[in-house]
């Protein structure tokens, strides 16, 4: 009787073992170490006089982690008030040096990260992008 039970357990493990394992493609959703850290972009103005009404791009601070990133905008635009809250995005896929982001994205539903030299390129669909530098 014990031999039949042992054979049944062994057969079950052999047949269901490959089905219960995790696939090895989990590393495609992890950002490389050179992208991780704190990145910032300074506010940008329309004129040399730095007053609130001339700001066209507020300050952006982004913390990039292994599988996610958080971003926060600080500034004032006359037609848009930013909520100054911290928003979180997650990595959907990473391939060929570019990471596709999902979650609470910046301007459109599809954002991406890519690294270009010492700057982090935050881009979005329809062709816009921002170049962030490491925080000191």
């Amino acid at each position: 009787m014990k031999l039949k039970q042992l054979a049944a357990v062994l057969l079950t493990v052999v047949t269901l073992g490959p089905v219960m394992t995790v696939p090895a493609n989990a590393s495609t959703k992890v950002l490389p170490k050179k992208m991780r850290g704190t990145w910032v972009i300074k506010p940008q103005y329309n004129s040399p006089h730095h007053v609130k009404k001339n700001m066209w791009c507020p300050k952006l601070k982004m913390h990039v982690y292994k599988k996610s990133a958080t971003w926060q905008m600080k500034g004032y635009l006359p037609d848009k008030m930013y909520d100054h809250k911290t928003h979180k995005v997650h990595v959907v896929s990473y391939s060929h040096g570019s990471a596709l982001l999902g979650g609470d994205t910046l301007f459109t539903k599809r954002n991406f990260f890519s690294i270009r030299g010492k700057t982090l390129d935050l881009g979005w669909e329809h062709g816009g992008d921002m170049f962030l530098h490491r925080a000191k």
Side-chain angles (χ1 to χ4, degrees), residues 31-103:
L31 293 173
K33 288 186 179 181
K34 62 184 174 181
M35 279 189 187
R36 298 179 202 165
T38 303
W39 300 84
V40 293
I41 188 168
K42 292 181 180 179
Q44 298 175 8
Y45 300 89
N46 290 336
S47 72
H49 296 47
H50 292 202
V51 294
K52 288 182 179 179
K53 64 182 180 180
N54 293 332
M55 182 184 291
W56 67 271
C57 182
K59 177 184 175 183
L60 174 68
K61 190 172 189 178
M62 183 163 292
H63 299 283
V64 180
Y65 304 107
K66 188 175 183 179
K67 295 184 181 183
S68 64
T70 58
W71 62 271
Q72 181 181 21
M73 278 198 162
K74 290 185 179 179
Y76 171 81
L77 291 178
D79 54 343
K80 290 184 182 179
M81 282 293 294
Y82 289 97
D83 57 1
H84 302 278
K85 292 181 181 177
T86 302
H87 303 276
K88 186 173 183 178
V89 293
H90 59 274
V91 178
V92 175
S93 66
Y94 178 78
S95 64
H96 304 292
S98 179
L100 183 64
L101 303 173

